[in-house]
């Protein structure tokens, strides 16, 4: 009997393959060419262009097991039985082929005959007006009428705004009254008794701006079955978290902590959050996502931080999430095989991010303590919701942790204010999603209308930079127009073109489109719905659809771009040779004047490594390898050993670019004929751009020559300024450094002497407060060392005293405090005093009872801070 997650997935794909479906691999979690989505969040998401007709599917029947991420209800993850951020969606799709009858009967056949679910426990919901679906379930499948429940639009009709939509039918499994008997345990409810396992969406209408539902000429099927849910039924587990798709991760964490999984509700939640979030983060990182402060990077960062916070509840004080990656890779290998290949990279990203967060956590604690101190000073008892939310949003501080720490200081947290801030953020996120939900599809559809008029293999730019062709379409402001005239900006679509459209990091070509009576400059070339779009400014004449024109690419610009693109291939290979096979491209920019190459690696490159990489690339250039391109079947290309760009989705046929016996990559860009054409290669910078991602910027050809000349010019000017020859520049700099060091020593000695001269004047300022000698003073121009030295001298001269000195600098103030031994015995401690004083000046610090120092960021509050010392003395003596 089928039980394991891997068995269920394979059985599903095999079943639909037997029904004539093309089984495709899961798409990466990062959407390709779809700015409306942060993540692939449903089985149908990668196929949106097929559903709206802007692209032709490889087959009209497709089946997949799609990895998905949804984070709209992240706060419920770990607290409920079935909420996840990462899950697997089994789906079968029809693009204008079969419809309701096949979708319904095949679904019933699969769940009852393949999965062998008890028919008596299966319930069906349909849209209340969908008589066709009812008849199929009742008359053909044979379900009794009472087991087919009609529901309203909210439950059983799929629609988002205008556009394609339609009714849906859901299959539910009754887990029995023992699973739940509350008012929520009804079909479509939030209880645990009736479990929705499969949703069949019948896309048959187009909802118009006028509010009409018009029948679509080509009807589609979109289904989604949750793998984790089906696994929980077949494995007879209480929740999804006990299935073989998640529980092994929980078991590993239990082994690490020694705390039983179900010791209490707090431990249950912690284990579930960690297991869920490590699946999301690991697979997303292996698909090319990286933690950052915006977009999907922020989602990954939040997941890692949330898991780390719950790890602290289980006693973890050091990074631990990276230790769970191997177990996760084993569990998801059937849908995310790349994770196993990327183990080292994913572990490094997780470990680095968690280490960074633990430091951030300490920073958040310091800020919270400052907030509480200010409230205490103002005799306030409530921390504002907006402040609690700032801690949560910026530093990953959970509300319950803020409340616990505040309670220790007798402070309450404004929970209502926190929730208002949280809801405002959710609203902003919802509005952002709504604004972009259909814009991408509508734009793609606009350009797709021209596809039929474009010649097959319409890009001729690999072999020629000129092409006689004709105009098939004109656009202005995203609207089709019948002409473009002098001075206008618009877009031209040609039957065939030599212009390369921006793709794979390579920017689009520029040039001219012209005829006897017309000329337009091509400012950029982009691709929409597989259509090459020339963005132009008309210089003379007028152009109409159907006109014959000549398209001419700027030759020097294309050649310079090709040099940089070919250099990225050599660079990629050299990086792997010098740093290791874990290096993978994670982004690039190829332009005429430079290249930018982002790659996975976890430490800054040494000067020696940069030199070695540069040397290897230039060696490959000088060997003048022939650059050859071939069109190959994807499997054949991989067997050849061609490097595929990580996370990129390829078709059945791919273009292989070979550079001698050195580099072999899949690439659609333009290249030089031989590596010697690159001329020279020079790395101009290396930097980190995210956790585990480095960036190299480099130049080739004439731009490399310009770079060398500019550096030589700078060298000559610097040597002249320092009155020496370029060959003696290093020695001259060393001499100046030595002179500077001697001057600094002299200056330090003068400062110490100046401080010493003030000693007697300061002793005269000694005052008595509640029987305690107190000296506070503000001095100008002293650094830490001079201030400490002066404090020590004063302490040696005064038998009994509390001494606090301050010195202001630009945008900061430093404090030094000391207490004599006799007063320490009375309860005076320099560390405690300096901490309270510095807090007033926007800082903090501490030290020993006899000596302490601190800093502050508000020098304007120095006098107020020093005045606090007298109050502290009175409190202790009082």
């Amino acid at each position: 009997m089928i039980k394991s997650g891997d068995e269920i997935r394979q059985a599903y794909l095999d079943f639909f393959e037997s029904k004539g479906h093309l089984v495709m691999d899961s798409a990466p979690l990062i959407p390709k060419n779809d700015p409306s989505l942060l993540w692939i969040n449903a089985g149908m998401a990668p196929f949106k262009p097929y559903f709206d007709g802007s692209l032709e599917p490889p087959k009209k029947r497709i089946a997949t097991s799609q990895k998905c991420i949804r984070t709209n209800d992240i706060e419920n993850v770990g607290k409920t039985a079935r909420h996840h951020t990462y899950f697997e969606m089994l789906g079968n799709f029809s693009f204008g082929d079969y419809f309701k009858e096949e979708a319904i009967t095949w679904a019933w056949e699969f769940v009852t005959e393949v999965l062998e679910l008890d028919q008596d426990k299966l319930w069906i919901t349909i849209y209340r007006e969908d008589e066709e679906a009812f008849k199929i379930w009742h008359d053909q499948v044979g379900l009794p009428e009472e087991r087919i429940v009609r529901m309203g639009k909210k439950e059983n009709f799929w629609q988002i705004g205008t556009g394609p939509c339609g009714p849906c039918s859901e299959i539910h499994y009754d887990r029995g009254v023992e699973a739940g008997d509350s008012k929520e345990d009804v079909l479509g409810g939030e209880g645990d008794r009736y479990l929705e396992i499969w949703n069949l969406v019948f896309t048959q209408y187009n909802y118009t701006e006028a509010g009409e539902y018009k029948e679509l000429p080509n009807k589609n099927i979109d289904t989604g079955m949750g793998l984790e849910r089906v696994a929980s039924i077949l494995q007879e587990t209480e929740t999804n978290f006990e299935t073989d798709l998640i529980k092994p991760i929980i078991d590993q964490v239990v082994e690490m902590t020694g705390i039983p999984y179900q010791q209490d509700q707090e431990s249950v939640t912690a284990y579930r959050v960690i297991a869920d979030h490590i699946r999301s983060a690991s697979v997303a990182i292996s698909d090319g996502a990286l933690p950052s402060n915006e977009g999907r990077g922020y989602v990954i960062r939040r997941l890692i931080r949330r898991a780390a916070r719950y790890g602290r509840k289980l006693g973890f004080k050091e990074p631990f999430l990276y230790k769970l990656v191997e177990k996760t890779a084993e569990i998801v290998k059937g849908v995310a095989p790349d994770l196993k290949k990327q183990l080292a990279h994913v572990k490094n990203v997780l470990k680095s991010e968690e280490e960074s967060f633990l430091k951030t956590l300490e920073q958040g604690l310091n800020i919270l303590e400052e907030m509480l101190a200010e409230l205490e000073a103002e005799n306030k008892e409530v921390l504002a919701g907006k402040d609690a939310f700032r801690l949560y949003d910026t530093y990953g501080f959970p509300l319950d942790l803020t409340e616990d720490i505040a309670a220790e200081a007798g402070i309450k947290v404004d929970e209502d204010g926190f929730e208002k801030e949280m809801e405002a953020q959710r609203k902003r996120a919802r509005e952002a999603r709504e604004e972009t939900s259909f814009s991408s599809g509508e734009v793609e559809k606009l350009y797709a209308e021209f596809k039929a008029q474009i010649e097959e293999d319409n890009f001729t730019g690999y072999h020629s930079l000129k092409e006689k062709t004709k105009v098939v379409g004109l656009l202005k402001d995203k609207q089709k127009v019948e002409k473009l005239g002098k001075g206008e900006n618009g877009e031209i679509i040609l039957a065939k073109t030599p212009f390369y459209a921006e793709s794979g990091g390579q920017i689009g070509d520029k040039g001219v489109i012209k005829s006897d009576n017309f000329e337009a400059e091509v400012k950029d070339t982009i691709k929409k719905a597989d259509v090459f779009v020339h963005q132009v400014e008309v210089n003379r004449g007028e152009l109409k659809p159907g006109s014959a024109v000549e398209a001419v690419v700027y030759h020097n610009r294309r050649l310079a771009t090709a040099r940089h693109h070919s250099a990225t291939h050599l660079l990629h290979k050299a990086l792997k040779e010098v740093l290791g096979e874990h290096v993978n491209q994670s982004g690039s920019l190829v332009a005429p004047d430079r290249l930018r190459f982002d790659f996975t690696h976890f430490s800054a490159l040494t000067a020696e490594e940069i030199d070695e990489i540069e040397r290897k690339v230039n060696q490959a250039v000088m060997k003048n390898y022939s650059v050859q391109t071939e069109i190959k079947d994807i499997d054949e290309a991989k067997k050849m050993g061609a490097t595929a760009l990580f996370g990129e989705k390829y078709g059945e046929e791919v273009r292989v670019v070979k550079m001698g016996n050195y580099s072999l990559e899949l690439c659609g860009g333009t290249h030089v004929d031989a590596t010697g054409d690159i001329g020279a290669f020079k790395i101009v910078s290396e930097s980190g751009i995210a956790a585990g991602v480095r960036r190299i910027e480099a130049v080739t050809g004439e731009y490399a020559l310009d770079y060398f000349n500019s550096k030589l010019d700078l060298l000559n000017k610097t040597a002249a300024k320092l009155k020496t020859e370029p060959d003696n520049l290093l020695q001259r700099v060393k001499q100046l450094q030595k002179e500077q060091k001697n001057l600094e020593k002299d200056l330090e000695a003068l400062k110490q002497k100046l401080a010493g001269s003030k000693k007697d004047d300061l002793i005269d300022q000694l005052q008595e407060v509640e029987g305690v000698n107190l000296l506070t003073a503000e001095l100008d121009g002293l650094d830490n060392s001079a201030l400490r030295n002066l404090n020590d001298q004063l302490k040696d001269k005064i038998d009994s005293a509390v001494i606090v000195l301050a010195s202001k600098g630009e945008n900061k103030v430093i404090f030094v405090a000391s207490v004599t031994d006799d007063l320490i015995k009375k309860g005076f401690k320099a560390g405690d005093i300096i901490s309270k004083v510095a807090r007033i000046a926007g800082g903090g610090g501490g030290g020993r009872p006899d000596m302490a120092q601190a800093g502050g960021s508000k020098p304007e509050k120095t006098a107020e801070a020093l005045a606090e010392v007298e109050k502290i003395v009175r409190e202790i003596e009082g």
Side-chain angles (χ1 to χ4, degrees), residues 511-582:
V512 293
I513 295 174
K514 60 184 180 178
S515 65
D516 291 341
N517 301 313
F518 174 84
E519 182 178 291
E521 183 175 5
V522 178
K523 299 289 189 179
D524 198 3
T525 310
I526 60 173
K527 192 186 292 186
K528 292 287 186 183
D530 277 345
V531 173
F532 284 64
V533 180
H534 309 80
Q535 298 180 331
V536 304
E537 180 179 342
V538 180
N539 294 330
R540 64 182 176 85
E542 186 177 270
L543 189 67
K544 294 182 179 180
S547 301
V549 293
E550 183 179 29
V552 183
V553 176
Y554 289 148
H555 175 269
N556 289 341
R557 188 175 184 276
R558 164 71 83 80
L559 179 57
T561 303
R563 288 191 185 107
H564 285 103
H565 201 151
S566 296
T568 65
H569 287 223
L570 301 179
L571 173 60
H572 196 180
K573 179 66 174 179
L575 285 166
K576 285 181 177 287
E577 288 183 338
V578 175
L579 304 178
E581 284 299 317
H582 67 279

Side-chain angles (χ1 to χ4, degrees), residues 753-767:
K753 189 174 181 180
L754 175 64
S757 69
K758 296 183 178 181
K759 180 175 57 181
D760 294 335
D761 293 338
L762 290 172
I763 291 174
D764 292 340
Q765 296 177 29
L766 197 67
Q767 59 178 319

Side-chain angles (χ1 to χ4, degrees), residues 203-227:
T203 311
Q204 64 187 89
Y205 299 115
N206 181 52
Y207 184 64
T208 68
E209 294 282 357
E212 297 178 293
Y213 290 94
K214 294 190 173 181
E215 287 276 349
L216 287 169
N218 294 314
K219 299 176 173 61
N220 302 320
I221 289 293
D222 161 23
T223 85
M225 172 186 276
L227 178 62

Side-chain angles (χ1 to χ4, degrees), residues 288-294 297 301 345 349 352-353 584-589 596-605 685-697:
L290 288 163
S292 68
N293 285 328
E294 58 185 18
R301 175 159 285 166
H345 169 60
V349 172
S352 175
E353 183 65 18
N584 278 298
Q585 180 176 338
S586 62
S588 70
L589 170 71
R596 186 178 72 215
F597 193 85
D598 301 339
F599 59 97
T600 53
H601 187 61
F602 254 82
S603 58
L605 272 60
S685 70
E686 189 275 338
S687 61
I689 59 169
V693 181
R694 309 297 299 178
R695 170 173 289 174
I696 279 178
E697 297 196 52

Side-chain angles (χ1 to χ4, degrees), residues 263-274:
Q263 174 173 285
D264 50 42
Q265 188 54 47
E266 186 172 305
S267 67
V268 168
T269 300
Y271 281 118
R272 289 178 178 177
V273 167
I274 292 167

Side-chain angles (χ1 to χ4, degrees), residues 7 76 114 126 140 210 254 280 313 414 519 533 546 592 605 655 662 714 730 755 832 837:
E7 289 171 341
N76 290 323
V114 180
I126 63 171
Q140 292 183 240
V254 168
S280 299
K313 292 177 183 288
D414 175 15
E519 182 178 291
V533 180
L605 272 60
R655 185 169 180 259
Y662 189 68
L714 179 63
L730 181 59
D832 293 346
V837 169

